[in-house]
Amino acid sequence: MSAEKITLTLPDGSAREFPAGATPLEVARTIGERLAKAAVAGEIDGAIVDLRAPIRRSGKFRVLTPRDPEAGVVIRHSAEHVLADAVERLFPGTIIDAGRQDHAEKFQYDFRFPRGFTPEDLEKIEQEMARIVKEARPFERKVVTRTQAAAIFKNRKEEIKLVRLADIPEGDEITVFQHGEFVDLCRGPHVQRTDQIGAFKLIDTSGAYFKGDERNEMLQRIYGTAFATRDELDAYFAKIEEARRRDHRRLGKDLDLFSFSPLAPASPFFHPKGALVYNQLLAFMRSLYVKYGYQEVITPQLFDAELWKTSGHYFHYKENMFFSEVDEHEFGLKPMNCPSHCVLFGVHAHSYRELPLRIADFGRLHRYERSGVVQGLTRVRSFCQDDAHIFCMPSQIGQEVSSLFDMMFEVYGTFGFSEPVIYLSTKPEKAMGDPALWESSEAQLEKCLKERGVPYTVNAGDGAFYGPKIDFVVHDAIGREWQLGTIQLDWNLPERFKLAYVGEDGGEQRPVMLHRAVLGSVERFFAVMLEHFAGDLPLWLAPEQARVLPVSDKFLDAARAVKSRLVAAGLRADVDERSEKLGAKIRDGELGKVPVLLIVGAREAEAGGASVRVRHRGDLGSKTLDEIVAAMTTTTKQRALNPWPEAQ
RNA sequence: GCUGGCGUAGCUCAACUGGUAGAGCAGCGGAUUUGUAAUCCGCAGGUUACGGGUUCGAGUCCCAUCGCCAGCUCCA
């Protein structure tokens, strides 16, 4: 064993031999004492490993120091242990559970504590953590047997840890990490000493179910974050602040787009301006429906429970539906459009020549969402989707999915979202239908993805109850992920509704159904888009595209004439008729995020034009009305992101 | 639904340990006639979310309800 050697390739390209089982720390020492001292973790072939964990195989190796962004997760993970240590010091007898899996941004620890932690508690805990950090306690890593681990935690009366220990699969290596008095069951990796945690801050507390299961006891959770430096910590909070500034609930109120009332919880009221934006989104999708061959329909809201029994929603989705009783019949508000489209498909006899039949519906949907989960426009009880169902022959699935990819990319590109990341979600636990059908459906979607040649990730068990799906996730202007479009393959509903078309051979065939939405929920998309643009909507979406600002009341008539001209050209414009100073009107226009401000004074009134001021870009000088109308019309028609052509 | 926090004028926020609600902006009226991010003066605006309770007295303390926020769980 001791004779075995491994080869590590260092970042400078050099390869060195080490005895198998050498630790990253030992390797770091051979490179340089200062590096070893600064080290927070090792990295082998891209995987972060603890400095004290023996390396058993050859690979690309490097030492991570606080300067490497990758070191953050190790620092946060270590700060997590310091948090638990501080809580144990301040509140002896507190039973600790476990930390966080994902340390990309935050750390957390769950505690069994008789009450919620208060802000004062957090302050004290932070101070205690600062003390522990300053003490520069070394982290020690120990490999222990199951019995030894059990003894440690039994001795410490950490009963939850014993449950966690029992969850570790037989045969896995069990490690504990200790710094000072504090010991925890942990895989690591951790920094060398607590003082390598450069800057940290506790963020918030909340309740959290043990093992994330609501049938279990609720523990008290503390969240925090940590970075190598104060600057990084500050940048993190600046990012949070930026997200707050963009919060669609804030913008919706400020820009008078929508509101909520306790009389209709979680159901938005779109104000005139908001409704205008909303309808522009629908108009955009309708224009694509022409291009991609869809037919739009309008279907009922309320259906006899029989429909939901046939579709399976009555058995798989009932807890999310609103029901009421009429004429001694149970009726349910639709949470999805698919069953009514199946009814619609069944109205006529269909020939294979008509397929694929693409049926679109902006029908209002109602879903009961538990009171604790609703949030702004992103999670509501009343909404609509840019929904469509494609009835086609099995042989047409490939071309339909391919065409959907084109549509998705076209839509997301229009808003300037990143190239979507694609996920394939497979059979969930609560699934309907023949497992063999599921398998072949999943295989078909996978085949489409491969043929298209796009990278994707499999999300096992995340499919809809009636079929597997492909999801599209985009990143917004500040890098946050949003799941938008979805394509779901469904053999079940056509079967349950006994849908059929007459095939080439004259025999009855069963169509397959594709459920798809590009924006997803229009309400949710509205929120995502608003935050993405920080309220600065592109011209085609702006409720008020231009505002005419007379320099003084003397030019009111000239200003009204400019507005009339724009309105006649199909643009949305208004006049600021208040007898305010120009500066005030400009300020209000900018704050109101109006894309184009048109200033009319003596010079412009005489020349018959206006001085153009573009949002966030300032004064572009005087233009004729023809130029202004032409520029704005073009930008609107093109659905350009920029409110005014760049070259001007 | 669960844990914790919050709810004062249209908006943003004040009101020490319980002592009888106040400011800015917005609105309205008037003056001003303005050239690229806030003109001045005045007026009006609140059963302090809602319903109980404790108290001589409740925005403030207690209970219940509704809603909102951060999480948990769930999800478009």
Side-chain angles (χ1 to χ4, degrees):
Chain A
M1 181 80 186
S2 60
E4 274 180 56
K5 296 276 185 194
I6 54 168
T7 307
L8 297 178
T9 312
L10 303 182
D12 65 4
S14 66
R16 296 202 202 174
E17 266 199 354
F18 293 93
T23 67
L25 193 58
E26 287 160 4
V27 174
R29 286 207 183 99
T30 69
I31 302 171
E33 199 50 47
R34 279 179 59 187
L35 179 68
K37 207 167 171 204
V40 296
E43 192 191 85
I44 295 164
D45 292 336
I48 299 177
V49 291
D50 192 83
L51 287 171
R52 289 133 299 211
I55 309 170
R56 305 202 193 280
R57 60 185 171 80
S58 302
K60 278 184 71 174
F61 176 85
R62 70 173 174 141
V63 175
L64 296 179
T65 71
R67 281 197 205 173
D68 297 298
E70 296 90 338
V73 294
V74 184
I75 289 169
R76 284 182 278 284
H77 192 172
S78 303
E80 191 167 87
H81 280 226
V82 173
L83 163 63
D85 184 9
V87 171
E88 280 203 337
R89 284 195 190 188
L90 290 169
F91 306 100
T94 303
I95 306 292
I96 67 173
D97 179 27
R100 195 178 172 92
Q101 300 286 325
D102 167 18
H103 294 94
E105 286 199 327
K106 288 189 234 182
F107 64 81
Q108 72 189 36
Y109 235 100
D110 292 352
F111 304 91
R112 181 184 287 160
F113 196 64
R115 56 177 175 83
F117 290 101
T118 64
E120 293 74 45
D121 292 335
L122 282 196
E123 214 167 289
K124 268 192 236 155
I125 294 165
E126 244 178 40
Q127 284 166 10
E128 191 63 33
M129 286 175 71
R131 210 164 298 154
I132 297 165
V133 166
K134 213 172 162 194
E135 285 166 7
R137 304 242 168 184
F139 274 91
E140 286 173 65
R141 176 183 187 272
K142 280 183 214 153
V143 179
V144 293
T145 65
R146 195 168 287 268
T147 323
Q148 286 169 326
I152 292 172
F153 296 111
K154 216 170 271 169
N155 189 33
R156 297 176 67 90
K157 300 196 171 57
E158 294 281 5
E159 47 193 271
I160 294 183
K161 285 290 161 195
L162 295 172
V163 179
R164 292 287 182 183
L165 180 64
D167 286 343
I168 297 177
E170 213 47 64
D172 278 21
E173 187 179 67
I174 297 172
T175 53
V176 296
F177 275 83
Q178 177 158 15
H179 69 270
E181 306 299 307
F182 182 82
V183 170
D184 194 12
L185 191 63
C186 183
R187 258 183 297 251
H190 284 290
V191 298
Q192 292 190 65
R193 301 170 312 275
T194 54
D195 65 339
Q196 287 177 309
I197 301 163
F200 70 92
K201 175 102 190 115
L202 295 183
I203 299 171
D204 205 2
T205 59
S206 83
Y209 300 106
F210 178 54
K211 290 188 188 178
D213 188 328
E214 64 183 336
R215 290 165 301 194
N216 290 342
E217 69 169 311
M218 184 164 269
L219 304 171
Q220 296 300 325
R221 175 172 295 177
I222 298 178
Y223 290 92
T225 191
F227 291 89
T229 64
R230 182 85 221 170
D231 282 353
E232 289 171 83
L233 185 72
D234 290 345
Y236 173 79
F237 284 104
K239 206 177 111 194
I240 304 275
E241 190 47 47
E242 172 64 14
R244 208 193 314 277
R245 194 178 71 78
R246 287 168 178 260
D247 190 318
H248 74 278
R249 292 165 297 191
R250 164 97 269 132
L251 290 167
K253 200 181 259 183
D254 289 351
L255 302 178
D256 196 20
L257 299 173
F258 57 84
S259 63
F260 290 88
S261 159
L263 296 172
S267 306
F269 288 63
F270 283 91
H271 297 8
K273 285 180 177 180
L276 225 148
V277 177
Y278 196 106
N279 283 327
Q280 288 303 321
L281 292 176
L282 298 193
F284 175 41
M285 294 314 298
R286 285 194 168 108
S287 75
L288 293 175
Y289 286 173
V290 176
K291 179 171 171 184
Y292 288 90
Y294 285 76
Q295 295 170 282
E296 189 179 336
V297 299
I298 299 170
T299 51
Q301 283 304 124
L302 197 58
F303 290 87
D304 195 302
E306 279 311 307
L307 178 84
W308 307 116
K309 285 176 185 166
T310 304
S311 70
H313 286 81
Y314 200 84
F315 314 106
H316 292 93
Y317 207 72
K318 198 176 182 192
E319 66 277 17
N320 281 299
M321 289 177 65
F322 290 101
F323 282 95
S324 66
E325 182 132 333
V326 183
D327 292 341
E328 288 170 31
H329 261 78
E330 199 179 9
F331 281 81
L333 273 175
K334 66 176 170 190
M336 297 183 193
N337 289 309
C338 30
S340 42
H341 291 182
C342 287
V343 172
L344 207 57
F345 186 90
V347 169
H348 300 298
H350 292 280
S351 149
Y352 73 96
R353 295 173 197 277
E354 295 168 63
L355 305 183
L357 198 60
R358 308 184 190 91
I359 304 294
D361 196 332
F362 292 108
R364 184 118 236 117
L365 307 177
H366 291 270
R367 295 185 188 174
Y368 170 72
E369 300 286 357
R370 295 156 110 204
S371 63
V373 307
V374 298
Q375 201 223 24
L377 288 180
T378 58
R379 193 79 182 275
V380 292
R381 287 179 178 164
S382 163
F383 63 105
C384 89
Q385 296 175 318
D386 62 323
D387 199 11
H389 295 95
I390 301 170
F391 298 90
C392 64
M393 296 186 271
S395 61
Q396 293 170 321
I397 293 172
Q399 74 189 50
E400 285 308 303
V401 171
S402 176
S403 152
L404 279 170
F405 270 78
D406 292 338
M407 194 170 175
M408 302 263 184
F409 280 85
E410 181 170 355
V411 171
Y412 304 146
T414 301
F415 293 93
F417 287 120
S418 65
E419 289 273 295
V421 177
I422 295 163
Y423 294 92
L424 173 65
S425 299
T426 57
K427 187 164 179 277
E429 257 178 62
K430 258 176 70 177
M432 188 171 75
D434 182 1
L437 262 183
W438 269 92
E439 238 170 78
S440 80
S441 303
E442 288 167 8
Q444 283 203 61
L445 285 185
E446 197 141 20
K447 190 167 154 251
C448 293
L449 285 164
K450 290 208 168 107
E451 276 170 11
R452 182 88 194 184
V454 291
Y456 64 93
T457 310
V458 174
N459 248 345
D462 213 27
F465 68 81
Y466 44 75
K469 59 178 184 169
I470 297 174
D471 288 327
F472 293 74
V473 172
V474 299
H475 292 261
D476 72 6
I478 55 171
R480 292 172 303 180
E481 280 198 351
W482 299 97
Q483 202 238 287
L484 299 177
T486 178
I487 302 174
Q488 305 172 357
L489 185 56
D490 184 3
W491 300 83
N492 277 304
L493 278 185
E495 183 70 36
R496 295 177 77 100
F497 280 90
K498 304 206 176 344
L499 303 182
Y501 62 91
V502 178
E504 229 170 325
D505 58 358
E508 280 214 336
Q509 303 291 331
R510 185 129 293 160
V512 62
M513 209 174 158
L514 286 169
H515 307 240
R516 52 100 285 183
V518 184
L519 306 180
S521 147
V522 179
E523 275 69 7
R524 211 182 92 130
F525 185 84
F526 194 110
V528 171
M529 170 210 73
L530 203 54
E531 301 200 359
H532 173 62
F533 289 128
D536 294 321
L537 298 178
L539 199 63
W540 69 280
L541 281 170
E544 187 181 358
Q545 296 178 302
R547 185 179 294 174
V548 189
L549 313 182
V551 168
S552 81
D553 292 357
K554 287 179 213 151
F555 310 108
L556 257 177
D557 284 341
R560 288 184 186 128
V562 171
K563 175 196 160 174
S564 304
R565 177 69 199 284
L566 295 184
V567 170
L571 293 163
R572 300 181 289 274
D574 242 310
V575 178
D576 186 339
E577 303 209 349
R578 299 171 306 161
S579 70
E580 287 287 352
K581 287 170 69 172
L582 182 62
K585 294 179 189 177
I586 287 173
R587 179 184 150 84
D588 291 339
E590 289 276 352
L591 290 177
K593 299 185 180 293
V594 179
V596 177
L597 298 177
L598 298 173
I599 292 143
V600 178
R603 298 193 294 270
E604 294 82 0
E606 192 170 333
S611 172
V612 177
R613 187 188 160 104
V614 174
R615 184 180 58 202
H616 304 325
R617 237 163 102 187
D619 191 4
L620 299 189
S622 276
K623 310 272 176 208
T624 66
L625 288 189
D626 284 343
E627 286 174 316
I628 292 166
V629 167
M632 290 185 66
T633 308
T634 308
T635 307
T636 303
K637 279 210 179 113
Q638 290 173 340
R639 298 199 169 84
L641 288 170
N642 221 308
W644 197 266
E646 283 292 354
Q648 295 279 331

